[in-house]
């Protein structure tokens, strides 16, 4: 028989505890709730864009020479012969939506967040997937260094709330276009004598995007990159001042960071402040989140010239870091009550009771197949229901049931009409 399996690099999120607890949907819900709360604390509002965009969007934004555009996009032609791409990242689509909908004209602050799947055709490995999920935030219209700091603070606040430890914030500035031009020349001058010993990828990048060589993970490039000149020495005074202020405001908030002048990020739209948060608990794919300023993007996509800064964190990596620390979900999707009916009349009355309890806001599971009582009891405990009620002829005659709390074994008599109130926690059961 044919077996149907997922494409490589993809996974299911399921409501059961598996070998990989980070794939449990209880945990996803909890983490996503905290992400939404943190976004709200910082004044960000949700934006949702389609999973598909026209391929053309990502070429001038993420960058033609970037790994994402050159080899990782899921692109295809639709039936109308349009070239479409499953979004590999969230920033370009959000800015496209802001420009297309003229959202910048709305009398509000323009701080937007998203929780969304992204698609990159990369080599799958632990922590690297072909469909991954990001929580991202983009702040539009503020060029103050404090806006950069607010974004980093929000990321830091999120990780703190999630109790993640062993994190380092790496910080750099890529300066403006002119600063980068000067640096590019200086870097090429330095790299030229080493060109033949650089990795094949880096040799290709020498002319197209030499800054990306700084980001190379290839062993043969490491020592050469170590001795490279620092971009921070090429910053124009206004960029230097901006970067100094970012560091100053971060220190004011007590947020620790490490300046790393080789940090360039893998997407072409950045300028000025860039940062990455790395986790010591994640192995090779240690980057848990990253972002920075990308001031030219809005005007490049046909909008006004507004400054922009943002960040995104990979949700899988957040969950895996939590798993590594032994953190689990406090949220449960288990039902409050498991109702077991014995006999035909009880099934009918129980069905009605279940309906009414749900109307009253109580989560109930009732088993409709007539199983043995013992089987139902063990199912209730496997499902981790909080309470069990057995409804039979006796209970119906008395108008009263025995409410059993599974964890403690405590049994309490409750009138049928009072069950919703008790289960909603409005009355303490004695
Ligand atoms: P990025 O660094 O490419 O930035 O991705 C953000 C985060 O997504 C990474 O730090 C990582 O945690 C996660 N991630 C990326 N690729 C994968 C993958 N294949 N599997 C699992 N997790 C992954 C961006 O995408 C920018 N749009 C961030 C940004 C927003 N910059 C400004 N605003």
């Amino acid at each position: 028989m044919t077996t149907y399996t997922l494409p490589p690099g993809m996974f299911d999120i399921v409501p059961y505890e598996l070998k990989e607890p980070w794939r449990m949907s209880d945990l996803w819900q909890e983490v996503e709730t905290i992400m939404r709360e943190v976004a709200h604390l910082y004044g960000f509002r949700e934006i949702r864009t389609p999973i598909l965009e026209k391929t053309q969007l990502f070429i001038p934004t993420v960058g033609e020479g970037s790994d994402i555009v050159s080899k990782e996009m899921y692109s295809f032609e639709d039936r109308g012969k349009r070239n479409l791409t499953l979004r590999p990242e969230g920033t370009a689509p959000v800015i496209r939506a802001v420009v297309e909908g003229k959202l910048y004209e709305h009398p509000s602050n323009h701080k937007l967040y998203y929780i969304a799947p992204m698609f990159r055709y990369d080599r799958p490995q632990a922590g690297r997937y072909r469909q991954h999920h990001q929580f991202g935030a983009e702040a539009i219209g503020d060029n103050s260094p404090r806006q950069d700091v607010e974004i980093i603070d929000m990321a830091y606040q999120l990780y703190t709330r999630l109790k993640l430890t062993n994190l380092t914030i790496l910080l750099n500035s890529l300066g403006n276009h002119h600063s980068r031009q000067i640096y590019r020349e200086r870097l090429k001058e330095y790299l030229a004598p080493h060109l033949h010993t650089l990795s094949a990828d880096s040799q290709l990048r020498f002319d197209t995007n030499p800054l990306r060589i700084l980001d190379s993970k290839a062993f043969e490039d490491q020592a050469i990159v170590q001795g490279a000149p620092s971009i921070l020495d090429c910053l124009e005074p206004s960029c230097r001042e901006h970067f100094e202020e970012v560091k100053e405001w971060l220190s004011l908030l007590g947020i620790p960071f490490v300046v790393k002048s080789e940090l360039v990020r893998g997407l072409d739209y950045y300028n000025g402040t860039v940062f990455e948060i790395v986790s010591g608990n994640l192995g090779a794919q240690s980057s848990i989140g990253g972002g920075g300023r990308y001031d030219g993007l809005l005007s490049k996509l046909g909008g006004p010239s507004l400054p922009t800064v943002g960040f995104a964190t990979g949700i899988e990596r957040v969950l895996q870091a939590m798993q590594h620390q032994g953190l689990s979900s406090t949220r449960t999707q288990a039902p409050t009550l498991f109702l077991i009916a014995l006999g035909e009349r009880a099934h009918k009355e129980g069905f009605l009771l279940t309906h009414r309890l749900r109307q009253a806001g109580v989560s109930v599971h009732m088993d409709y197949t007539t199983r043995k009582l013992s089987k139902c009891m063990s199912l209730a405990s496997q499902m981790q229901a909080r309470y069990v009620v057995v409804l039979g002829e006796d209970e119906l005659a008395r108008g009263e049931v025995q409410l059993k709390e599974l964890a403690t074994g405590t049994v309490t008599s409750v009138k049928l009409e009072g069950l919703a109130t008790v289960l909603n926690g409005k009355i303490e059961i004695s």
Side-chain angles (χ1 to χ4, degrees):
M1 205 166 76
T2 320
T3 50
Y4 299 95
T5 56
L6 275 170
M10 314 240 165
F11 57 88
D12 297 311
I13 299 165
V14 298
Y16 309 109
E17 181 99 34
L18 303 164
K19 270 190 292 177
E20 299 162 314
W22 65 268
R23 288 208 282 119
M24 197 174 169
S25 55
D26 293 27
L27 198 57
W28 281 75
Q29 287 190 5
E30 177 159 329
V31 165
E32 286 170 3
T33 302
I34 294 175
M35 287 169 169
R36 289 179 194 285
E37 282 167 7
V38 169
H40 177 63
L41 284 178
Y42 285 75
F44 284 75
R45 292 173 174 221
E46 187 179 18
I47 183 162
R48 299 188 194 197
T49 63
I51 287 178
L52 285 175
E53 293 279 350
K54 291 184 183 157
T55 301
Q56 196 51 39
L57 172 68
F58 299 106
I59 298 169
T61 54
V62 174
E64 199 158 9
S66 66
D67 283 352
I68 293 179
V69 169
S70 63
K71 48 189 183 195
E72 294 175 2
M73 292 209 301
Y74 276 90
S75 301
F76 62 96
E77 212 173 64
D78 75 359
R79 287 166 197 271
K81 302 247 175 284
R82 282 172 215 94
N83 222 311
L84 303 179
T85 291
L86 287 170
R87 69 173 161 225
E89 63 99 48
T91 308
V94 165
I95 300 303
R96 192 267 314 133
V98 167
V99 173
E100 188 171 354
K102 291 198 169 65
L103 302 188
Y104 48 81
E105 284 182 356
H106 195 271
S108 164
N109 65 354
H110 305 298
K111 300 204 294 189
L112 305 167
Y113 84 89
Y114 47 90
I115 293 178
M118 309 290 163
F119 301 84
R120 297 183 188 178
Y121 192 87
D122 203 349
R123 197 168 46 80
Q125 62 179 89
R128 197 205 276 151
Y129 304 96
R130 291 188 174 165
Q131 174 175 333
H132 73 280
H133 300 75
Q134 290 185 5
F135 164 61
E138 316 292 350
I140 296 149
D142 194 330
N143 62 6
S144 159
R146 270 168 284 169
Q147 186 58 70
D148 308 14
V149 172
E150 183 184 81
I151 289 276
I152 299 172
D153 179 35
M154 180 163 97
Y156 193 65
Q157 167 92 241
L158 171 70
Y159 298 134
T160 308
R161 280 181 179 238
L162 293 169
K163 302 190 177 67
L164 292 185
T165 55
N166 206 1
L167 299 178
T168 310
I169 301 174
L170 304 173
L171 188 70
N172 193 21
S173 172
L174 297 178
N176 57 13
H177 184 66
H178 188 232
S179 310
R180 274 197 306 284
Q181 262 182 336
I182 298 172
Y183 180 64
R184 208 180 133 100
E185 288 320 308
R186 206 181 276 185
L187 181 65
K188 284 181 80 172
E189 241 170 67
Y190 165 79
L191 290 173
H194 305 285
L195 193 55
H196 59 287
T197 48
L198 285 174
S199 65
D201 266 356
S202 292
Q203 290 190 26
L204 285 176
R205 284 187 175 134
F206 183 78
D207 283 315
T208 53
N209 198 348
L211 266 70
R212 287 294 316 281
I213 297 177
L214 299 177
D215 207 24
S216 167
K217 306 276 180 291
F219 177 74
E220 57 269 48
D221 297 345
Q222 299 295 309
I224 302 169
V225 164
Q226 291 275 309
S230 163
I231 193 165
L232 296 173
D233 295 331
C234 298
L235 296 185
E236 291 203 327
S238 62
C239 306
R240 193 187 304 266
E241 215 171 284
H242 186 105
F243 191 52
E244 286 307 314
E245 280 192 51
V246 168
K247 292 192 286 181
E248 206 177 292
W249 292 105
L250 278 172
S251 301
L252 179 77
L253 300 186
I255 298 174
F257 59 89
V258 175
V259 173
K260 187 180 177 208
S261 65
E262 310 91 75
L263 181 71
V264 286
R265 309 266 305 130
L267 304 104
D268 283 359
Y269 46 60
Y270 292 112
N271 63 288
T273 313
V274 285
F275 64 95
E276 215 156 272
I277 297 119
V278 292
S279 161
N281 295 340
L282 283 178
Q285 301 306 312
S286 63
S287 168
I288 199 165
R293 247 187 201 283
Y294 51 97
D295 288 339
L297 198 62
L298 221 124
S299 54
K300 195 173 224 171
L301 296 185
S305 176
L306 288 172
T308 34
V309 55
F311 103 104
T313 188
I315 302 182
E316 290 74 10
R317 294 191 191 171
V318 163
L319 295 165
Q320 288 172 358
M322 290 175 73
Q323 182 181 315
H324 181 91
Q325 287 178 227
L327 298 167
S328 55
S329 177
T330 52
R331 174 186 281 264
T332 177
Q333 297 175 77
T336 307
L337 177 69
F338 192 114
L339 194 136
I340 305 168
L342 300 177
E344 209 164 303
R345 195 164 79 94
H347 261 275
K348 196 170 172 190
E349 293 298 325
F351 194 59
L352 187 61
L353 179 63
T354 297
H355 172 74
R356 292 201 174 130
L357 286 171
R358 288 171 179 159
Q359 275 182 326
V362 182
S363 158
V364 190
H365 178 78
M366 180 179 173
D367 208 84
Y368 304 130
T369 52
T370 343
R371 294 176 200 242
K372 279 199 184 128
L373 178 62
S374 60
K375 275 213 168 148
C376 284
M377 286 304 285
S378 78
L379 183 61
S381 83
Q382 276 158 13
M383 283 176 70
Q384 294 174 322
R386 182 150 181 219
Y387 298 104
V388 171
V389 152
V390 179
L391 191 68
E393 283 300 331
D394 271 7
E395 287 77 9
L396 285 174
R398 280 189 280 116
E400 196 174 271
V401 285
Q402 302 293 303
L403 184 68
K404 180 172 181 182
E405 188 170 29
L406 284 180
T408 59
T410 317
V411 176
T412 321
S413 297
V414 181
K415 290 271 175 224
L416 279 174
E417 63 269 21
L419 201 53
T421 320
V422 169
L423 289 171
N424 270 328
K426 289 185 187 126
I427 289 179
E428 271 298 302
I429 312 171
S430 54

